[in-house]
Amino acid sequence: MSKTKEKFMLEAIKLANDGMNSGKGGPFGAIVVQDGKIIGRGNNRVTTSNDPTAHAEVVAIRDACKNINSFQLENCEIYTSCEPCPMCLGAIYWARPKAVYYAADKIDAANAGFDDAFIYQEIATPINNRKIPMNQLLQKNAQIVFKKWTKKVDKIEY
Amino acid sequence: MSKTKEKFMLEAIKLANDGMNSGKGGPFGAIVVQDGKIIGRGNNRVTTSNDPTAHAEVVAIRDACKNINSFQLENCEIYTSCEPCPMCLGAIYWARPKAVYYAADKIDAANAGFDDAFIYQEIATPINNRKIPMNQLLQKNAQIVFKKWTKKVDKIEY
C-alpha cells in the first residue's frame, strides 16, 4: 500500500479514536477522498445524535455529497477504520465510489462488541422468514405509484 | 390485514406519491408507528438533498428517532411503500423495530427502474471479490482503537 493511502487511513482511524474519546459514539471513523483531497469526514455518532444510521461511513458519505453538491461519489475513494456493516455497504453501493479501503475487519468489530453477522444472515434470509416479522399489504396501491413514475417525464434518476 | 394497518400503509403510499409529484425524489414513502401513532415520516429525497442515503425508510427512522429522543425504535412498526433495499434493511435492524410492513416488492421496484439485486449479490460476495474493490490496510492501528473501546468505562453501547 502506498504512503498516501496509509496517510488517509490514519486520518480515518484518528476520527474513530477522537469520536470515541469525545464521547460522540462508537470507535469508527471514515473519510471520502476525491483527487487526493479529503472531501468528507465522519465518525460514529449513533448515541449522541439519536440516529441509528449515523455510522461513520454514512456520515462521511453525507458530508462529502453535501460538500460537492452531488448524490454520487463516482470518482472517489472511501477510507474506513473498519469493514462496513451491511447498512454502510448498501450506502456505499448507492454512492458508487471507485474503491473502498478498510482497516479492522468484521471479526475485529465482533470482538469489540459490534457483531453484524446477524444482519448479514437476515438480509440473506427470505423476507417472510426473518426475525423481525415483515408482511406485505396493499401491493396494488403501491404499484400504481410506480406506474406513474415510469411515465413521469421530468424525473431525475439515481 | 386490519383496517388500521391498511390506514397506515395508505399514508406511507401517499408520502411516496406526494414526494414523487413534488419532485423530491423517487416514488417511495415510509412511516414509523408507536402505540398506534405516527411518530416519523419520510419520502425519498436522494436527488434533491444530494444524499444517497436519503431513502424513505432511512428518512423516516431518523425523523422518528429525533422525535422520541432515542436511537432505538424497539416497540415500533415501520410501514414502507416498498420492500426495503439492503441499506434500509440494515438501518431497520440497527433501529430494531418490532415489525415491518411493505406494499410493493423488490420485483415491482426493479420493474420501475430500481433494481437492488446487484447490491444483494455484492453483500453476499466475499469482500475481496466485489465489483467495487475493497482492500485492507493498517488493521493493527484500528485494532488499537477497538481495544481502547473495550476498556472504556463510560461508553454507551448500541
Side-chain angles (χ1 to χ4, degrees), chain B residues 94-106:
Chain B
W94 287 117
R96 305 186 176 94
K98 66 178 176 183
V100 174
Y101 299 93
Y102 65 100
D105 60 26
K106 58 185 174 185

Side-chain angles (χ1 to χ4, degrees), chain B residues 75-152:
Chain B
N75 54 353
C76 298
E77 296 165 338
I78 295 180
Y79 291 79
T80 171
S81 66
C82 185
E83 182 176 344
C85 81
M87 174 182 72
C88 292
L89 269 179
I92 287 166
Y93 279 96
W94 287 117
R96 305 186 176 94
K98 66 178 176 183
V100 174
Y101 299 93
Y102 65 100
D105 60 26
K106 58 185 174 185
I107 298 165
D108 297 323
N111 289 338
F114 301 96
D115 194 353
D116 51 20
F118 170 66
I119 302 180
Y120 277 99
Q121 285 162 19
E122 286 288 292
I123 289 179
T125 299
I127 192 160
N128 295 318
N129 298 331
R130 293 189 180 133
K131 296 280 189 288
I132 297 180
M134 300 192 181
N135 296 302
Q136 189 170 26
L137 70 157
L138 298 182
Q139 181 180 17
K140 286 201 166 69
N141 299 59
Q143 286 174 332
I144 292 168
V145 182
F146 279 169
K147 230 162 254 167
K148 286 191 205 165
W149 172 263
T150 59
K151 289 177 187 160
K152 190 172 163 69

Side-chain angles (χ1 to χ4, degrees), chain B residues 26-62:
Chain B
F28 301 91
I31 61 169
V32 178
V33 172
Q34 186 184 50
D35 301 329
K37 208 185 127 199
I38 298 175
I39 59 161
R41 291 165 200 269
N43 46 31
N44 182 290
R45 51 190 76 172
V46 167
T47 52
T48 50
S49 65
N50 283 327
D51 180 357
T53 75
H55 285 200
E57 297 94 325
V58 167
V59 175
I61 287 170
R62 298 181 78 223

Side-chain angles (χ1 to χ4, degrees), chain B residues 6-27:
Chain B
E6 290 194 353
K7 188 190 72 176
F8 286 133
M9 186 58 84
L10 287 172
E11 179 66 20
I13 295 172
K14 185 179 183 304
L15 284 167
N17 193 61
D18 292 354
M20 172 180 65
N21 286 343
S22 64
K24 279 224 178 79

